Amino acid sequence: MSGKTAPRSVGDGSTRTRLERGRGALGPALELVHTGRAPTRAVLTAELGVTRATAGAVAAELESLGLIRVDSHPSAPTGSQGRPSHRLHLADDGPVVLAAQIHSDGFRAALVALGGRIVATAPGCGTVGADPAGILGAVVAAGADLLAATGRRCVGAGLAVPSAVAEPEGTALNPVHLAWPPGSPVRDVFAEQVRAAGIEGPALTGNDVNLTALAEYRHGAGRGARDLLCVATGHTGVGGALVLDGKLHTGSSGLALEVGHLRVDPEGRPCHCGGRGCLDVETDPLAFLIAAGRTPGPEVSHLQQAKDLIRDAYADPAIRRATERLIDRLGLGLAGLVNILNPDRIILGGLHTSLLEADPERLRAVVADRSLWGRSGGVPILPCVLDHNSLVGAAELAWQPVLDDPLAALGHD
C-alpha cells in the first residue's frame, strides 16, 4: 500500500488540547509499545508520567496513524479488581521496513514490522563480489519483490554488514570477510539502490553485531539490562557491541568494540589485523573446525558446520576438546572486557551461543577466575534468543526515525 493514512479528526477542544500536550509523547509512547513495555493504556500512562486523558489521546493518535490498535472493550482478568485498562497492540497490517543482512555467503532480505516481527523473508546465496553495488542491488530487488507480494507500505530500509562502519561517512572501513575494497561507500550505495527501487523512507547501514545487540536489547535476551555487552561470531570472525542506557556505544567514529582483536593466545594463529591469537581467529567457526580436526566443506557455512558438530557429536572426544579450547579462549576475552566495561549482562551469539550451551559452567568459571572482582565475575552470561537478530537490528535502524517522531516520519507533520 502506497497511500498515507489520513490524520485523525479531533472532535472537541479539550481532546485537541490533550493531544497537543501529548504530541511530544508520541515517539516515547510508540517505543514503549514497540518494545513490549506498555501492554496497556494504564502502563503507558504510568511510564509516560502523563494524565490518563493525555495517554488516551496519544494512544488514539498512534492508532489513527495505523501503528497500534487499542482494544475498544477492555476486560479485566478474572478475580481482579478496579477499572480494566485498554490493551495496546501493534497493528497487524501496519507499515514495515526493509531489512537486509550481507554475509560472506550471500544475503538475506526481510520485511519487518514494529515489535521486531518478521513479516516475510527471502534468502539469497552465492559469492559476494568485489563491487558492493552488485550484491546490494540484488538484496534491494529481493526486498522490492517482497513488498510487491505483500502490498505493505514501507517506511525505510536498514542494512547490516560484517564490517566496521565508519561515521559519519558510512563506509565499510575494512570488510575483511568480504571481497569489498576497504572504504567502500556502502551506505551511499545502499541508499542509491533503495531510491532506484522506489522504496520510501531513509536507508541506513550499520555493523551486524552492533545491530544484533540493539535487537536483543529491545526485543530479546538483553531486555531489562542497562549496560549490555554482546559478543558474537558471524559466518567468520568475531564482533562485539555495547548498549548503554538504550543507546549503542559506537565511539567517536563508529569503530568502538572491535573485540575480535583482543589477544587471548600469544602463541595462537596469525590474525589478519597483523597480530596473533586474537579472538577473531581463536574463537570463530573456522577456528573450531580446525581445532576439531575437521576439513570445512562447501555445502553449508562454517558457522552451521561448527554448530552442527557441537549439537550432534559432542560425545566425540575431539569435538569436546575443541569446544573446551574455544570456551577457554572466549572466557579470557570476556573476562578482559568485564574488567574494562563492567556490564550488567553479557549475551553471546553465533557459535558462542553453542559454546555456552555446551558447557555453561566452564565458561562462567573462566570469566569469574580472570575477573578482578568477584562481583564482576558473576555477571550473567546468556545466549541471544532472536532468530535473524542482525536483520531485526537492521530494521531497528530504519524504525528509529518513526520512533523519534511518528508524525514527521509518516508525512503527517
Side-chain angles (χ1 to χ4, degrees):
M1 287 183 286
S2 59
K4 296 178 180 178
T5 306
R8 175 174 173 269
S9 175
V10 181
D12 58 75
S14 61
T15 301
R16 184 180 298 108
T17 300
R18 287 195 297 269
L19 180 57
E20 290 303 321
R21 189 182 302 124
R23 196 180 190 95
L26 285 175
L30 181 60
E31 183 167 342
L32 286 166
V33 182
H34 170 62
T35 56
R37 291 178 290 155
T40 68
R41 204 168 72 182
V43 175
L44 183 68
T45 301
E47 290 288 334
L48 292 176
V50 298
T51 66
R52 188 166 60 191
T54 297
V58 167
E61 183 69 5
L62 291 175
E63 185 173 34
S64 77
L65 292 172
L67 298 172
I68 73 170
R69 179 172 57 83
V70 183
D71 278 353
S72 56
H73 301 290
S75 59
T78 304
S80 65
Q81 298 180 350
R83 183 177 179 180
S85 180
H86 296 267
R87 294 199 65 82
L88 307 177
H89 308 274
L90 294 167
D92 291 334
D93 58 350
V96 295
V97 297
L98 167 61
Q101 177 187 11
I102 305 297
H103 52 77
S104 59
D105 299 315
F107 69 84
R108 185 175 293 272
L111 304 183
V112 184
L114 283 166
R117 298 169 297 152
I118 295 179
V119 173
T121 182
C125 296
T127 302
V128 179
D131 180 12
I135 192 72
L136 294 179
V139 78
V140 171
D145 288 344
L146 292 175
L147 287 168
T150 61
R152 302 288 283 266
R153 179 187 177 189
C154 184
V155 296
L159 172 68
V161 295
S163 168
V165 178
E167 298 293 348
E169 304 89 348
T171 55
L173 189 66
N174 191 22
V176 295
H177 303 301
L178 301 175
W180 296 349
S184 295
V186 60
R187 181 177 299 158
D188 289 345
V189 173
F190 181 59
E192 290 170 4
Q193 297 288 349
V194 167
R195 286 194 298 270
I199 296 173
E200 296 181 8
L204 305 168
T205 303
N207 169 262
D208 54 0
V209 180
N210 278 346
L211 299 181
T212 289
L214 184 61
E216 293 283 345
Y217 178 85
R218 290 183 173 176
H219 306 293
R223 290 178 64 176
R226 186 187 67 182
D227 302 329
L228 177 69
L229 172 64
C230 175
V231 177
T233 66
H235 288 233
T236 55
V238 175
L242 185 66
V243 181
L244 301 176
D245 288 328
K247 303 294 184 183
L248 277 170
H249 174 72
T250 56
S252 61
S253 55
L255 308 179
L257 272 293
E258 282 292 313
V259 304
H261 301 293
L262 286 175
R263 180 178 293 184
V264 293
D265 183 3
E267 305 302 321
R269 296 168 56 211
C271 180
H272 48 78
C273 72
R276 180 178 290 273
C278 298
L279 274 178
D280 212 49
V281 293
E282 295 292 333
T283 67
D284 82 332
L286 180 59
F288 177 83
L289 295 172
I290 292 172
R294 302 299 176 97
T295 301
E299 299 81 12
V300 295
S301 69
H302 293 170
L303 174 60
Q304 193 60 55
Q305 291 176 62
K307 293 176 74 171
D308 289 347
L309 282 173
I310 295 176
R311 184 190 65 229
D312 300 333
Y314 191 62
D316 183 328
I319 303 303
R320 183 180 292 270
R321 284 194 301 270
T323 302
E324 291 175 347
R325 174 185 170 86
L326 264 70
I327 286 173
D328 291 347
R329 297 291 185 266
L330 175 61
L332 288 174
L334 293 179
L337 291 167
V338 165
N339 290 335
I340 295 169
L341 301 173
N342 189 214
D344 60 3
R345 192 177 308 175
I346 298 170
I347 57 172
L348 302 179
L351 178 62
H352 293 168
T353 293
S354 298
L355 298 177
L356 173 65
E357 292 172 344
D359 196 342
E361 295 310 313
R362 185 183 186 100
L363 179 59
R364 292 179 178 125
V366 174
V367 174
D369 182 59
R370 294 302 185 109
S371 297
L372 294 176
W373 303 279
R375 185 172 180 180
S376 293
V379 60
I381 305 175
L382 304 174
C384 291
V385 298
L386 297 177
D387 292 332
H388 306 306
N389 44 25
S390 290
L391 272 179
V392 175
E396 291 299 310
L397 280 184
W399 276 119
Q400 193 60 53
V402 181
L403 299 176
D404 291 338
D405 190 341
L407 288 172
L410 299 179
H412 295 296
D413 197 18

